[in-house]
Amino acid sequence: ASEAIIQLAEYLNAPIVTQLDAQGIVNESHPLVVGVLGIFGNPGLEAARTIVETSDLAICIGVSEAMELLAGHDGLQRRQMIQVEPDEMAHAGFGWQAEAKLFGPVGTVLRELKKKLESSHPKTVNGKFTFPDGTEHFTPQSLRDAHNASAQQAWDFFLSGRWKEQMPKVVGTYFGSLPTLVSSEEGDAPWRFKIDHEERPGFCHPMRVFNALGPMLKDNATIALDTGDCTLWASLALCLTGHQRVLVDLALGTMGYSICAGIAAGVTDRDAQVVCIVGDGGIQMTIGELIVAKQMKLKHFLVIVVNNGLLGRVHYGWEGVQGDAIDVPDFVA
């Protein structure tokens, strides 16, 4: 379904927002992909959040949780939705009102939807709308984004087709320019996270690690994400450009999940590259399971430990917490 998603988005000039466990389904270096919306109640990238909050309709493809996609700050549904699912039982208790529900093989459904749009709504570039301040835009000014210039400019970028100017720069990593959302140096994709302060000597910022990791991953790679700060960094900075699979426990948020999930993935497909991303707190929960990886003779099994000496989600999520600092051994040694 990856190609069908991209083709429909290109026809509509529509940005693509993903959930964390959907990373890798589409090539995230494509200029229409604006990143992960948010996880564990934490806001995601500014571009994704801005686009969603000022949208009128969301085409939800296999979405299990749509609160951030569809609801306003009051929890009530504020945006229309078209729901696409492989069968009627998938997410049967979804709980959100849909303008239409489309069931069947996702790729086939999206290709048929694109055909119907092509025949009933021939693609044209929207006419320009003149705002009271004299500026011209590709969408009418709505009440919710009347005071959000960056949102209006972002939609202009997509609906005008200017995103196509970035296509030649998409070469397996994230390039592009969308300067209306956040400032960006030349060649950087501003919807990706950037370091805005210097690193301490002898330390490496997680963003640099995940920036470098993306191009090194094979198309058949499985990324097992643990729960903690490592999850947030991966959602902000990891760009998947093949058909990789992400395993993450979004429902329970279990620490130590990644090692076990990675072993299961490696046993399931012994030729696949498996990368476990875990924090220095989470790895203590299931580090003993590494013996299973050894016994099962997993050849392509890599563990990346984000070591910050803290239970980060506890430290930054609560005030006055005791016992959140941790001291771990040198895992490399």
Side-chain angles (χ1 to χ4, degrees):
S2 174
E3 291 183 3
I5 294 172
I6 291 290
Q7 289 169 1
L8 178 62
E10 289 179 343
Y11 181 78
L12 294 172
N13 286 330
I16 300 171
V17 176
T18 67
Q19 291 184 314
L20 181 59
D21 55 354
Q23 278 195 278
I25 291 180
V26 297
N27 185 336
E28 295 177 345
S29 65
H30 193 287
L32 284 175
V33 180
V34 295
V36 175
L37 180 57
I39 57 173
F40 304 146
N42 297 278
L45 299 161
E46 181 183 351
R49 187 172 66 254
T50 300
I51 287 295
V52 167
E53 289 178 351
T54 57
S55 64
D56 296 308
L57 172 72
I59 300 177
C60 297
I61 305 168
V63 173
S64 57
E65 173 51 56
M67 174 67 77
E68 293 175 316
L69 277 170
L70 302 177
H73 297 296
D74 54 7
L76 300 178
Q77 184 168 347
R78 299 298 183 188
R79 285 170 281 281
Q80 294 179 316
M81 174 190 65
I82 295 176
Q83 185 179 3
V84 180
E85 297 290 350
D87 57 69
E88 294 187 40
M89 293 304 296
H91 309 308
F94 196 47
W96 300 94
Q97 181 178 347
E99 302 302 308
K101 296 183 179 182
L102 308 177
F103 301 113
V106 172
T108 302
V109 168
L110 296 181
R111 282 188 287 270
E112 289 299 315
L113 176 58
K114 181 173 177 286
K115 287 181 181 179
K116 290 186 179 296
L117 288 171
E118 288 172 336
S119 61
S120 59
H121 296 81
K123 185 174 181 180
T124 58
V125 176
N126 292 344
K128 291 185 177 180
F129 296 85
T130 302
F131 285 10
D133 61 3
T135 58
E136 293 184 336
H137 300 275
F138 281 80
T139 57
Q141 189 172 23
S142 66
L143 292 177
R144 67 170 174 272
D145 60 12
H147 304 290
N148 190 339
S150 64
Q152 193 66 60
Q153 292 167 349
W155 281 110
D156 287 345
F157 174 84
F158 291 114
L159 296 178
S160 67
R162 283 194 289 119
W163 59 268
K164 297 176 184 177
E165 299 171 4
Q166 308 305 322
M167 290 297 287
K169 299 182 180 179
V170 179
V171 283
T173 185
Y174 21 97
F175 292 95
S177 177
L178 188 53
T180 56
L181 285 178
V182 290
S183 60
S184 171
E185 297 177 3
E186 178 115 9
D188 290 337
W191 49 87
R192 293 291 166 186
F193 182 81
K194 291 179 57 182
I195 297 176
D196 60 2
H197 58 274
E198 295 183 2
E199 296 162 294
R200 291 170 57 190
F203 290 86
C204 180
H205 197 288
M207 190 278 285
R208 295 198 189 279
V209 175
F210 293 128
N211 269 350
L213 177 63
M216 297 172 61
L217 294 172
K218 298 179 180 179
D219 284 352
N220 70 345
T222 295
I223 300 91
L225 288 178
D226 214 81
T227 299
D229 279 357
C230 60
T231 328
L232 300 180
W233 289 123
S235 71
L236 289 169
L238 183 61
C239 181
L240 304 182
T241 59
H243 297 282
Q244 297 96 347
R245 175 74 186 274
V246 172
L247 302 177
V248 59
D249 186 9
L250 289 176
L252 296 177
T254 307
M255 294 178 66
Y257 166 86
S258 64
I259 299 295
C260 302
I263 292 172
V267 172
T268 302
D269 185 353
R270 291 188 171 273
D271 294 326
Q273 179 188 42
V274 177
V275 178
C276 301
I277 298 173
V278 59
D280 50 352
I283 195 172
Q284 297 184 61
M285 308 295 178
T286 52
I287 194 171
E289 300 303 321
L290 290 178
I291 194 172
V292 178
K294 175 68 174 178
Q295 290 173 338
M296 299 304 295
K297 296 180 171 58
L298 300 183
K299 299 179 180 179
H300 313 290
F301 190 82
L302 172 67
V303 178
I304 297 175
V305 181
V306 179
N307 184 359
N308 62 357
L310 285 173
L311 296 175
R313 288 302 86 211
V314 176
H315 178 81
Y316 296 110
W318 305 89
E319 294 183 4
V321 172
Q322 301 294 319
D324 54 344
I326 52 179
D327 188 12
V328 295
D330 186 337
F331 293 110
V332 178

